Amino acid sequence: MKRAGRTMVERTSKFLLIVAVSVCFMLILYQYVGPGLSLGSPSGRSYSEELDLFPTPDPHYVKKYYFPVRELERELAFDMKGEDVIVFLHIQKTGGTTFGRHLVQNVRLEVPCDCRPGQKKCTCYRPNRRETWLFSRFSTGWSCGLHADWTELTNCQGEGRRKSLPNRSSSIWCLKFYYITLLRDPVSRYLSEWRHVQRGATWKTSLHMCDGRTPTPEELPSCYEGTDWSGCTLQEFMDCPYNLANNRQVRMLADLSLVGCYNMSFIPENKRAQILLESAKKNLKDMAFFGLTEFQRKTQYLFERTFNLKFIRPFMQYNSTRAGGVEVDNDTIRRIEELNDLDMQLYDYAKDLFQQRYQYKRQLERMEQRIKNREERLLHRSNEALPKEETEEQGRLPTEDYMSHIIEKW
């Protein structure tokens, strides 16, 4: 009886072990061949997590401008190990400081940027050599001037610098520049700049280089006397006709050489304004990427898809009120809109292009995911339909004899 009891216990233990191994075997098998489970994304987040992280496109969004597909598709073959360089055009009070920190501290890189405490700049080298892939405030500093605009950057880093080099074998000729920037609602940006200037900011060391020279004091008069404009009221800020805060986004994105730089007598004012606006639109559209301060998650999404670079932590949407916490009446807002009429038109254009690019990319990804899921389901069904003799080892639980053979081997 004792021997029979021991035999029964051994068989029971063996059976339980076989069941346990079988369950583990099936779990592993299901993980690899189960339908609809391959929902991973290059960012390391699951597809469902991606859907939760980024806003759903508005199905009722009405397009204002027509953009062909080639203008909506922004997926570049950015080669960090090659000669590609991201150039960040940082417009004041558009959230560029936060975005610039994202670039040096929050991108998942093979060789992360080296940001040391107490230092203003980080070292962002390529994975294969000691050469930077990022031209920005927090990586190279203000190398082309404080808050350099499109005119300055393209002459400092792009064609202008290339033309100054007679030797085409120089490394600058090999570099490929990808320009990026951020825009912000003009009223919010204007009020934010006023508050910043009110606290003592001036940006008076900006060069404003154009056609090889800086503007004369007559071309670019100052709005204040003394070292800064601290304590100025909003009315004083709006009353200065030379205030560079007016239409700053258009001016910093346009090719100023088209209108004689800062020489206001070069062409009539109305013609100058139209040329600047059209130039800013074109340059913005042709940039590798631009984001909008009011849409942080969408900005993150489009940057990641454009450069195939992933951020470690998601962007956060902070104060989204138009006045940025500043109490202003409707008449004042209308006055700011008039002073920034070109910026208002540019932002309207940029917002529509931005939303269309976001919708296009999200819809494209959803379509690709549906095709992928359908193919996986068809593959799973075709495997189930194979002759029994070809699938009996895959489609049924392992037998006791088979599992005993495995256990003996272990």
Side-chain angles (χ1 to χ4, degrees):
M1 289 293 293
K2 290 182 178 179
R3 184 175 181 181
R6 282 199 302 272
T7 302
M8 181 63 69
V9 170
E10 289 173 357
R11 287 184 175 179
T12 303
S13 300
K14 191 174 182 180
F15 175 78
L16 291 175
L17 181 59
I18 291 172
V19 170
V21 174
S22 299
V23 170
C24 292
F25 179 85
M26 291 306 297
L27 286 174
I28 295 172
L29 182 66
Y30 187 73
Q31 175 125 1
Y32 282 96
V33 303
L37 293 180
S38 300
L39 298 178
S41 69
S43 64
R45 299 181 286 262
S46 70
Y47 187 69
S48 60
E49 288 174 331
E50 294 264 313
L51 293 180
D52 292 337
L53 179 61
F54 300 113
T56 302
D58 182 4
H60 306 295
Y61 181 76
V62 179
K63 302 175 183 178
K64 295 183 178 180
Y65 299 88
Y66 167 75
F67 297 103
V69 171
R70 67 177 180 275
E71 304 294 352
L72 302 180
E73 179 59 55
R74 276 295 186 273
E75 187 172 347
L76 309 173
F78 180 72
D79 185 6
M80 189 174 290
K81 294 182 179 180
E83 307 295 336
D84 296 353
V85 179
I86 293 177
V87 181
F88 180 31
L89 194 165
H90 183 172
I91 301 174
Q92 290 94 317
K93 313 315 294 179
T94 58
T97 298
T98 299
F99 185 76
R101 289 199 178 102
H102 277 305
L103 293 176
V104 298
Q105 298 176 355
N106 192 29
V107 179
R108 194 180 305 279
L109 299 170
E110 182 179 339
V111 178
C113 295
D114 184 12
C115 301
R116 301 183 181 182
Q119 294 186 359
K120 294 182 178 180
K121 296 186 292 184
C122 303
T123 302
C124 298
Y125 285 146
R126 302 182 190 276
N128 54 339
R129 62 187 185 276
R130 294 170 64 84
E131 180 182 289
T132 188
W133 56 269
L134 175 65
F135 188 90
S136 73
R137 168 188 177 182
F138 292 117
S139 58
T140 56
W142 303 112
S143 302
C144 291
L146 178 62
H147 285 285
D149 55 32
W150 188 91
T151 305
E152 293 175 292
L153 281 177
T154 53
N155 278 277
C156 173
Q157 285 296 318
E159 290 302 319
R161 187 175 175 187
R162 288 191 174 106
K163 291 175 182 177
S164 68
L165 296 172
N167 182 11
R168 284 181 173 266
S169 63
S170 176
S171 60
I172 189 71
W173 283 95
C174 303
L175 297 178
K176 186 173 183 179
F177 298 106
Y178 291 96
Y179 289 89
I180 66 174
T181 194
L182 290 183
L183 294 183
R184 186 179 181 184
D185 169 77
V187 174
S188 297
R189 199 214 63 77
Y190 189 87
L191 289 169
S192 181
E193 179 165 341
W194 162 61
R195 292 295 297 271
H196 199 53
V197 169
Q198 192 181 48
R199 293 190 293 266
T202 62
W203 301 298
K204 60 185 176 183
T205 58
S206 295
L207 299 176
H208 305 299
M209 288 288 294
C210 180
D211 285 351
R213 68 177 182 87
T214 59
T216 65
E218 291 74 27
E219 291 174 330
L220 193 59
S222 177
C223 286
Y224 57 90
E225 297 179 357
T227 57
D228 58 44
W229 206 5
S230 57
C232 72
T233 65
L234 179 55
Q235 189 62 50
E236 291 172 335
F237 194 74
M238 292 188 296
D239 286 344
C240 177
Y242 318 113
N243 195 340
L244 290 179
N246 300 342
N247 295 311
R248 180 181 289 279
Q249 296 178 102
V250 164
R251 179 180 57 81
M252 291 189 67
L253 288 173
D255 182 357
L256 297 180
S257 63
L258 298 175
V259 294
C261 301
Y262 293 88
N263 181 2
M264 298 301 172
S265 62
F266 184 78
I267 55 174
E269 183 178 351
N270 290 340
K271 187 176 181 180
R272 174 186 175 88
Q274 190 60 35
I275 291 175
L276 286 175
L277 178 59
E278 293 306 316
S279 176
K281 286 181 178 180
K282 180 183 182 301
N283 292 338
L284 183 73
K285 174 175 62 68
D286 292 343
M287 280 185 169
F289 162 84
F290 72 88
L292 299 181
T293 308
E294 288 74 21
F295 302 95
Q296 290 292 314
R297 291 289 173 85
K298 292 181 179 181
T299 294
Q300 175 187 347
Y301 175 90
L302 287 175
F303 181 91
E304 289 183 346
R305 270 61 180 181
T306 299
F307 290 100
N308 196 27
L309 294 172
K310 303 299 174 181
F311 291 102
I312 301 169
R313 298 175 301 278
F315 287 14
M316 301 300 294
Q317 186 70 57
Y318 295 107
N319 191 351
S320 60
T321 59
R322 194 178 190 198
V326 180
E327 293 292 335
V328 290
D329 55 39
N330 291 333
D331 289 339
T332 302
I333 290 179
R334 281 192 292 270
R335 176 60 179 154
I336 294 174
E337 290 175 343
E338 291 173 0
L339 291 170
N340 293 273
D341 179 61
L342 298 182
D343 270 12
M344 295 295 293
Q345 295 182 62
L346 175 67
Y347 188 78
D348 183 66
Y349 174 88
K351 186 176 178 181
D352 190 57
L353 176 55
F354 179 86
Q355 296 286 18
Q356 287 194 46
R357 282 180 176 173
Y358 183 76
Q359 286 193 325
Y360 171 80
K361 193 61 180 175
R362 282 297 299 268
Q363 290 169 359
L364 189 63
E365 282 196 350
R366 287 175 179 272
M367 182 180 68
E368 291 172 347
Q369 189 62 42
R370 285 196 295 268
I371 293 173
K372 184 177 180 180
N373 290 343
R374 184 166 65 249
E375 290 175 346
E376 289 178 350
R377 287 194 297 269
L378 291 173
L379 178 61
H380 182 69
R381 290 170 185 170
S382 64
N383 288 338
E384 289 180 338
L386 288 175
K388 183 178 180 181
E389 60 270 16
E390 295 182 17
T391 60
E392 60 180 357
E393 290 298 331
Q394 301 176 18
R396 61 180 174 82
L397 281 170
T399 63
E400 183 176 336
D401 291 339
Y402 177 71
M403 296 308 298
S404 298
H405 174 66
I406 292 178
I407 291 170
E408 287 175 5
K409 277 191 171 184
W410 288 352

